[in-house]
């Protein structure tokens, strides 16, 4: 998904996620899953790497919408 930001290949995506990439990623996940994500600061701090973002988003998306 991050490769779509800036039209990169997946190999060009770095492990570290900057703030613009994070905002874009959250927006893309919201669009794809049809729900708004209310991410607190602790979750956002975990999402500074691709690995952290995958883990955090998996947890958030596993929760029922609205909780």
């Amino acid at each position: 998904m991050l490769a779509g930001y800036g039209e990169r290949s997946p190999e060009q995506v770095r492990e570290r996620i900057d703030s613009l990439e994070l905002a874009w990623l959250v927006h893309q996940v919201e669009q794809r899953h049809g729900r708004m994500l209310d991410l607190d600061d602790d979750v956002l701090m975990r999402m500074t790497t691709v690995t952290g973002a995958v883990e955090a988003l998996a947890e958030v998306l596993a929760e029922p919408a609205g909780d």
Side-chain angles (χ1 to χ4, degrees):
M1 201 176 278
L2 277 171
Y5 180 73
E7 298 179 15
R8 302 172 284 181
S9 69
E11 295 79 26
Q12 292 174 305
V13 175
R14 299 170 303 158
E15 176 65 12
R16 196 107 183 108
I17 298 176
D18 68 32
S19 60
L20 289 176
E21 289 174 318
L22 180 56
W24 188 86
L25 177 61
V26 170
H27 175 72
Q28 292 301 307
V29 171
E30 289 175 337
Q31 294 297 305
R32 183 171 288 184
H33 293 275
R35 65 187 257 202
M36 296 296 296
L37 301 178
D38 185 22
L39 305 175
D40 63 28
D41 289 341
D42 291 333
V43 173
L44 291 171
M45 290 301 297
R46 292 175 49 206
M47 296 176 67
T48 59
T49 63
V50 171
T51 302
V54 168
E55 292 170 356
L57 288 170
E59 290 171 15
V60 169
L61 292 172
E63 297 172 359
D67 286 356

